[in-house]
């Protein structure tokens, strides 16, 4: 390279971090930008929401990450404008940066699917702030129920994808095993966990036998399943289904649907389904080939599930293509290598599906799920803390379970 390219990476999620790592190793001058000073490990947010882990266990400072390479800088800022013609990004504080290449890896946001009352009365679980807010709501409502200031703490989880299943299963275990210890004043009929799904099964990407196994595991834990049910509206104290059924809900958790942030439409880039940016096979914008998009915001020709692995692989690919372009080499199309999918239901229960058709469930799948997630965490301290928290929460002395709701 005659001159090291200046690259701005917007977003410190799986895609942004992996793009930054590839670019840093290749010698590019990288500025990693995020509205938060930390990166969040989203697959474990449900553990934060249910007080099994602290916020520090699933977050990592982006400046600490950037400090690994002398050619990487971190900046806390929120993007307000992308000016492709000027090759410039402007931030909400009025400042801006010029670039040779731009990587947009901002992720997406909650999609309320135009359901009346959902934005006002339901709690999403997409960010660290969301998880902390849900945790506080649950704790306060349980305290109020124990003190007689509330009649109940019923929870309805909307959406039976991996996040919804994991949330419902963990909440049900808390209700059955922990709440009687921490809040003995609360009667069993004052609490419940209900999972609502518009399909007739949970975990739609999985094979039928794994779906059925997950559903049965949820029922054993006391989760009420409302399958084949579509939400018509969300009220402050209930979730209303299209058939008119009202499900009592003191806390409604929205684990259904994501969409591109509204400000993306102001960036002058082509958008497709869900507001995602329309891209070439190399993951860059056709009319602005210096702009690449990775992760959930990416609208590549072959749609991929909005999971960690696609984001990781897209981030790596984008970093390599920018280095190739800077050296004058042609870009290569992105090809996804499917490592399989997995989801946990609760203690010693998970489902795993590999691309070759092999499946696994129960304790072996649960152990694989734990170690895979720990391996992808940033920072040795976080890995150790999360591993200890997992096994202490599920295999420690029974009375130590009281710590999870303090």
């Amino acid at each position: 390279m005659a001159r090291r390219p200046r690259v701005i990476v917007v977003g410190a999620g799986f895609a942004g971090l992996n793009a930054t790592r590839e670019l840093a190793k290749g010698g590019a001058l990288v500025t990693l930008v995020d509205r938060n000073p930390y990166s969040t490990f989203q697959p474990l947010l449900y553990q934060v929401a249910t007080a099994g882990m602290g916020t520090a266990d699933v977050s990592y400072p982006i400046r600490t990450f950037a400090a690994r390479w002398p050619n990487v800088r971190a900046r806390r800022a929120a993007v307000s404008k992308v000016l492709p013609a000027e090759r410039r990004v402007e931030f909400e504080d009025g400042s801006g940066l010029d670039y040779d290449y731009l990587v947009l890896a901002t992720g997406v946001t909650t999609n309320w699917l135009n359901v009346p009352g959902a934005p006002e009365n339901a709690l999403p679980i997409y960010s660290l702030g969301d998880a902390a807010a849900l945790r506080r709501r649950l704790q306060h409502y349980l305290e109020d129920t124990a003190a007689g200031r509330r009649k109940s703490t019923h929870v309805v989880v909307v959406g039976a994808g991996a996040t919804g299943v994991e949330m419902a299963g963990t909440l049900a275990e808390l209700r059955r095993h922990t709440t009687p210890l921490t809040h003995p004043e609360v009667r069993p009929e004052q609490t419940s966990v209900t999972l609502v799904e518009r399909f007739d099964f949970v975990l739609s990407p999985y094979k039928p036998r794994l779906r059925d196994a997950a559903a049965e595991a949820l029922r054993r834990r006391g989760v009420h399943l409302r399958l084949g049910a579509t939400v018509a509206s969300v009220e402050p104290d209930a979730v209303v289904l299209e058939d008119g059924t009202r499900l009592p809900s003191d806390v409604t958790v929205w684990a259904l649907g994501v969409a591109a942030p509204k400000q993306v439409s102001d960036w002058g880039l082509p958008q497709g389904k869900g507001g995602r940016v329309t891209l070439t096979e190399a993951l860059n914008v056709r009319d602005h080939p210096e702009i690449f998009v990775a992760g959930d915001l990416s609208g590549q020709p072959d749609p991929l599930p909005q999971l960690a692995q696609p984001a990781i692989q897209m981030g790596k690919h984008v970093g390599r293509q920018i280095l190739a372009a800077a050296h004058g080499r042609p870009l290569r199309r992105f090809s996804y290598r499917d490592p399989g999918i997995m989801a946990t239901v609760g203690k010693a229960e998970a489902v795993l599906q590999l691309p070759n058709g092999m499946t696994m469930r129960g304790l072996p799948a649960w152990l694989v799920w734990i170690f895979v997630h720990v391996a992808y965490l940033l920072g040795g301290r976080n890995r150790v803390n999360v591993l200890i928290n997992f096994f202490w929460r599920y295999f420690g002395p029974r009375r130590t379970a009281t710590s999870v709701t303090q």
Side-chain angles (χ1 to χ4, degrees), residues 149 239 298 363:
R149 294 186 294 269
V239 171
S298 173
L363 178 61

Side-chain angles (χ1 to χ4, degrees), residues 195-213:
L195 180 61
V196 179
E197 171 58 50
R198 65 187 179 93
F199 294 122
D200 293 324
F201 40 79
V202 302
L203 298 175
S204 60
Y206 292 74
K207 292 188 175 182
R209 61 176 175 269
L210 293 183
R211 297 173 186 165
D212 294 343

Side-chain angles (χ1 to χ4, degrees), residues 72-390:
V72 178
R73 295 291 182 267
R75 179 164 179 173
R76 182 181 184 182
V79 173
S80 61
K81 293 180 182 179
V82 175
L83 306 173
E86 302 175 28
R87 294 197 177 192
R88 181 173 176 82
V89 171
E90 294 188 349
F91 305 116
E92 290 181 354
D93 62 5
S95 63
L97 289 173
D98 298 323
Y99 61 83
D100 296 315
Y101 296 93
L102 173 65
V103 178
L104 296 174
T106 59
V108 288
T109 188
T110 303
N111 186 353
W112 301 105
L113 301 175
N114 297 318
V115 174
E120 297 82 9
N121 300 313
L123 295 175
I125 182 169
Y126 192 76
S127 69
L128 200 60
D130 293 339
L134 176 55
R135 175 175 175 162
R136 288 192 297 270
R137 178 77 61 87
L138 288 168
Q139 291 172 342
H140 291 165
Y141 280 18
L142 279 173
E143 286 295 323
D144 288 347
T145 303
R149 294 186 294 269
R150 294 188 63 86
K151 292 182 179 180
S152 62
T153 303
H154 297 298
V155 181
V156 173
V157 180
V158 180
T163 300
V165 165
E166 290 165 356
M167 175 63 69
T170 305
L171 287 172
E173 290 180 339
L174 288 176
R175 175 181 176 268
R176 176 169 292 186
H177 302 299
T178 302
T179 302
L181 297 176
T182 58
H183 301 80
E185 306 91 343
V186 178
R187 302 186 305 277
E189 63 270 19
Q190 290 181 286
T191 62
S192 67
V193 178
T194 303
L195 180 61
V196 179
E197 171 58 50
R198 65 187 179 93
F199 294 122
D200 293 324
F201 40 79
V202 302
L203 298 175
S204 60
Y206 292 74
K207 292 188 175 182
R209 61 176 175 269
L210 293 183
R211 297 173 186 165
D212 294 343
E216 180 56 32
L218 288 169
R219 291 189 180 100
R220 287 199 307 269
R221 286 161 172 77
V223 177
H224 303 297
L225 295 182
R226 294 301 302 257
L227 304 178
T230 301
V231 175
S233 65
V234 180
E235 300 177 356
D237 60 350
V239 171
V240 182
L241 305 181
E242 281 192 346
D243 63 5
T245 303
R246 295 182 81 258
L247 303 176
S249 181
D250 300 286
V251 180
T252 300
V253 182
W254 195 262
L256 178 66
V258 291
K262 292 182 179 179
Q263 60 265 32
V264 175
S265 61
D266 299 327
W267 295 350
L269 302 176
Q271 291 179 271
K273 184 178 179 181
R276 298 174 187 87
V277 180
T278 304
L279 304 173
T280 70
E281 292 184 338
L283 302 185
N284 61 343
V285 178
R286 189 171 303 279
D287 294 335
H288 298 281
E290 73 282 355
I291 299 179
F292 290 78
V293 184
D296 292 346
L297 190 62
S298 173
Q300 68 275 10
D302 298 321
L304 292 173
Q306 292 172 308
L307 302 172
Q309 266 300 319
I312 290 170
Q313 293 184 32
M314 281 190 276
K316 292 179 179 179
H317 177 83
V318 163
R320 292 165 184 163
Q321 300 319 297
I322 290 175
L323 294 173
H327 282 93
R329 299 195 300 266
L331 303 186
R332 294 185 177 184
R333 68 182 297 272
F334 173 68
S335 179
Y336 178 57
R337 298 176 302 281
D338 184 6
I341 50 179
M342 61 180 70
T344 181
V345 180
K347 179 181 178 181
E349 188 66 56
V351 293
L352 184 155
Q353 179 174 303
L354 297 178
N356 62 5
M358 177 182 174
T359 62
M360 185 186 302
R361 52 158 297 191
L363 178 61
W366 187 69
L367 293 173
V368 171
W369 184 93
I370 289 176
F371 286 108
V372 165
H373 282 70
V374 169
Y376 279 107
L377 280 165
L378 291 173
R381 181 188 63 83
N382 284 16
R383 295 189 187 102
V384 171
N385 284 351
V386 166
L387 200 57
I388 291 173
N389 283 338
F390 262 123

